Amino acid sequence: DAVGNTVYSKHWLFSVLTRLIEVIAPAEPEPAASPEGARTELDEEMENDICKVWDMSMDEDVALFLQEFNAPDIFMGVFAKSKCPRLTEICVGILGNMACFQDICMSISKDENLGQVLLQRLCDSDSPTLLETSRLLLTCLSQPEVANVWVERIRENPSVYDCVCFIMSSSTNVELLVKVGEVVDKLFDLDEELMLNWIKNGTCRSVGPSVDDSPEELPDFKIVPCILEAAKQVRSDNPEGLDVYMHILQLLTTVDEGIQAIVQAPDGGKETWSLLYDLVCQELCQPDDPPIIVQEQKTVLASILSVLSAMFASQTEQEYTRMRKNMPLIGSLIRILQYMEGCGKRAVGNSKESQQEETGRTDVNEEDFHLKILKDICCELLSNMLQELTKENTLEGLHQGHLNEQTCSCAFQNLLPLYFASVESFLEVLREADQTLADNLEKRFPSLKVHT
């Protein structure tokens, strides 16, 4: 009676699934007094048993047994007929566990009817069901053998865009927002065409949670404001979630249409710049943090600085990019470089030990790779910003403490020789603001000495 090599009973599983069929197709019709469309509660015993199946479905033998018993078809019936949100959530959750196994995932993914029904669950008004649906989609999108099936299916279902935007812009459930963000991030990473379609999208459609049996008319969604709203919700509660949404923004900047979508918003991109500026200057890699913090925050910092760099390069005429407002950002960029130097010295100090173990050396190399990406992005933005400084900006930076001999030396050390023209331009302005500091820097960096 055991399922595979487990201690679980085939008979018990069979009986639970049979009772599940009876729940969605009762022998007797529902009482006429029950209002149509009313939600129903799941019987406590049934809920306990089906939850046990949910837990058990993480075992491959159980998942295969459920597959052989056509459990996905039973769940299709649940989605079509059940008025119990809890039951729907559990059934999607079981499918999500089953999809973790490659063969079952391929079977689920190739079922066109089931695929369409699952995408429709994204329009559900029940947050737990939305969470399990998002988890299932992410699991399938993470399987290379079937990812393209789901990308194509989503591309052909315009309602998915609206449902996802509705969740990002209106939900306060941080766990749900993170999972939906992971789905969007994966989709954009897998398929640039789909990302371009979503960037250009924004037409109003009759989809979304139903109220009194009439579909809710959704607003004219644009992708960037929805991403920003979700990022604001997750920023303080979930660092990993913030990382996800910053990476989505970074992916948008890999195409011209994405940059334009950011900077041609009604506010000209001011809201995006303000959020990212605040994260860099007020929350991440702060003066009272140890230098090692840059290791923990390297991916989110790289994403944020990449977006800021793209915006700065394309929006130099915007008020929010004026240097008089952005001296703290220059100070933060230099601090990031200083912390990276600190991490580099620590890595050198531990190099002998790390060379003893092959695995350790691989990890260090991977860390170095990500830090190099962060350094490259940081230097590019810093060089562009230094070129825009005036004497007044520089005096303000000196007064506020963002610029001094130590910070300027760090900036020059990292920017030279690649950004020689930018450093030389800044030094000329610095000479007007503080001749002594400029002379000291010239002595430390002889290549900058002006030849007459």
Side-chain angles (χ1 to χ4, degrees):
D1 184 49
V3 178
N5 294 319
T6 73
V7 296
Y8 303 127
S9 162
K10 288 181 181 178
H11 177 76
W12 182 84
L13 271 170
F14 183 86
S15 68
V16 174
L17 292 173
T18 302
R19 283 158 54 207
L20 183 58
I21 294 172
E22 292 170 356
V23 168
I24 59 174
E28 298 180 9
E30 294 183 13
S34 176
E36 191 173 347
R39 293 185 171 192
T40 58
E41 296 298 321
L42 193 58
D43 173 79
E44 185 177 350
E45 182 182 354
M46 183 64 198
E47 180 174 354
N48 289 336
D49 286 346
I50 198 70
C51 279
K52 289 177 185 175
V53 176
W54 191 0
D55 292 336
M56 292 160 57
S57 62
M58 289 187 286
D59 186 288
E60 186 171 9
D61 287 336
V62 174
L64 288 169
F65 177 81
L66 292 172
Q67 176 77 1
E68 291 168 10
F69 194 74
N70 295 324
D73 290 339
I74 298 174
F75 299 153
M76 282 260 289
V78 171
F79 303 149
K81 298 179 181 179
S82 172
K83 295 173 184 175
C84 175
R86 176 63 172 157
L87 182 58
T88 303
E89 173 206 352
I90 295 169
C91 291
V92 177
I94 295 172
L95 276 176
N97 284 347
M98 294 171 65
C100 292
F101 306 105
Q102 185 177 335
D103 290 344
I104 300 176
C105 185
M106 292 181 68
S107 175
I108 290 172
S109 299
K110 289 177 181 177
D111 187 330
E112 188 60 31
N113 290 333
L114 181 56
Q116 297 294 341
V117 168
L118 287 171
L119 290 184
Q120 289 170 13
R121 297 271 63 77
L122 285 172
C123 297
D124 206 297
S125 59
D126 181 60
S127 291
T129 299
L130 289 171
L131 176 61
E132 293 307 319
T133 304
S134 302
R135 185 173 72 89
L136 170 57
L137 288 177
L138 185 62
T139 299
C140 294
L141 289 168
S142 300
Q143 297 264 12
E145 297 80 9
V146 299
N148 288 340
V149 174
W150 285 97
V151 169
E152 186 64 30
R153 189 173 285 149
I154 290 169
R155 196 190 295 137
E156 293 174 355
N157 278 267
S159 64
V160 173
Y161 169 86
D162 289 305
C163 293
V164 166
C165 284
F166 182 78
I167 294 168
M168 290 194 297
S169 62
S170 62
S171 178
T172 56
N173 185 319
V174 170
E175 190 178 4
L176 171 60
L177 288 171
V178 173
K179 195 58 65 177
V180 167
E182 289 174 345
V183 170
V184 174
D185 189 40
K186 191 70 176 176
L187 282 171
F188 286 3
D189 200 32
L190 287 169
D191 194 78
E192 186 177 292
E193 182 186 344
L194 183 141
M195 181 172 73
L196 286 168
N197 289 342
W198 281 26
I199 290 169
K200 297 170 186 174
N201 218 329
T203 56
C204 187
R205 297 187 186 87
S206 295
V207 297
S210 295
V211 180
D212 298 330
D213 289 334
S214 43
E216 180 178 330
E217 194 78 0
L218 292 181
D220 186 17
F221 285 122
K222 298 292 184 184
I223 191 71
V224 173
C226 296
I227 293 169
L228 291 179
E229 192 58 40
K232 291 174 190 174
Q233 285 288 338
V234 305
R235 66 184 287 187
S236 57
D237 296 323
N238 195 299
E240 292 78 14
L242 180 64
D243 199 344
V244 168
Y245 280 99
M246 294 302 101
H247 190 253
I248 295 173
L249 281 177
Q250 182 186 5
L251 287 173
L252 292 182
T253 65
T254 60
V255 294
D256 289 340
E257 293 87 344
I259 296 174
Q260 295 307 309
I262 293 172
V263 300
Q264 290 183 358
D267 62 357
K270 183 178 180 181
E271 186 180 356
T272 304
W273 182 275
S274 297
L275 173 63
L276 303 188
Y277 176 97
D278 196 42
L279 287 169
V280 175
C281 296
Q282 303 296 330
E283 292 189 24
L284 300 172
C285 209
Q286 293 302 292
D288 55 351
D289 289 329
I292 196 67
I293 195 72
V294 79
Q295 286 275 16
E296 298 175 19
Q297 298 175 350
K298 59 185 178 294
T299 56
V300 68
L301 281 169
S303 296
I304 292 171
L305 298 185
S306 181
V307 178
L308 286 172
S309 185
M311 293 182 71
F312 189 81
S314 62
Q315 288 294 88
T316 50
E317 75 283 358
Q318 284 286 347
E319 176 63 24
Y320 61 76
T321 60
R322 296 283 185 259
M323 293 315 305
R324 60 187 172 80
K325 293 185 175 183
N326 286 305
M327 286 310 306
L329 180 55
I330 287 181
S332 295
L333 294 175
I334 296 174
R335 181 166 61 252
I336 291 169
L337 292 172
Q338 288 175 319
Y339 282 10
M340 291 175 71
E341 287 179 353
C343 288
K345 291 174 184 174
R346 177 172 173 169
V348 169
N350 294 333
S351 60
K352 290 183 180 180
E353 182 180 340
S354 64
Q355 286 174 6
Q356 302 294 322
E357 300 180 17
E358 184 67 31
T359 305
R361 187 161 64 248
T362 302
D363 290 343
V364 169
N365 288 338
E366 186 176 343
E367 291 290 342
D368 289 346
F369 174 73
H370 288 295
L371 284 174
K372 183 181 184 305
I373 291 175
L374 174 58
K375 179 182 175 181
D376 290 346
I377 295 169
C378 189
C379 286
E380 180 182 5
L381 177 55
L382 180 59
S383 69
N384 288 336
M385 298 188 83
L386 288 180
Q387 279 188 311
E388 298 294 325
L389 286 177
T390 64
K391 177 184 176 181
E392 291 72 23
N393 303 148
T394 305
L395 285 169
E396 188 176 358
L398 291 166
H399 176 71
Q400 294 173 350
H402 302 302
L403 297 177
N404 53 45
E405 187 167 346
Q406 182 185 17
T407 59
C408 289
S409 295
C410 175
F412 288 10
Q413 184 74 38
N414 284 280
L415 293 177
L416 292 172
L418 186 59
Y419 297 102
F420 182 88
S422 174
V423 173
E424 192 175 45
S425 168
F426 168 63
L427 191 60
E428 288 180 15
V429 175
L430 183 61
R431 192 174 287 110
E432 297 177 27
D434 190 330
Q435 180 70 49
T436 304
L437 177 55
D439 290 343
N440 290 342
L441 289 168
E442 274 190 347
K443 291 175 185 176
R444 295 188 66 169
F445 299 90
S447 63
L448 291 171
K449 191 156 185 175
V450 178
H451 299 283
T452 57

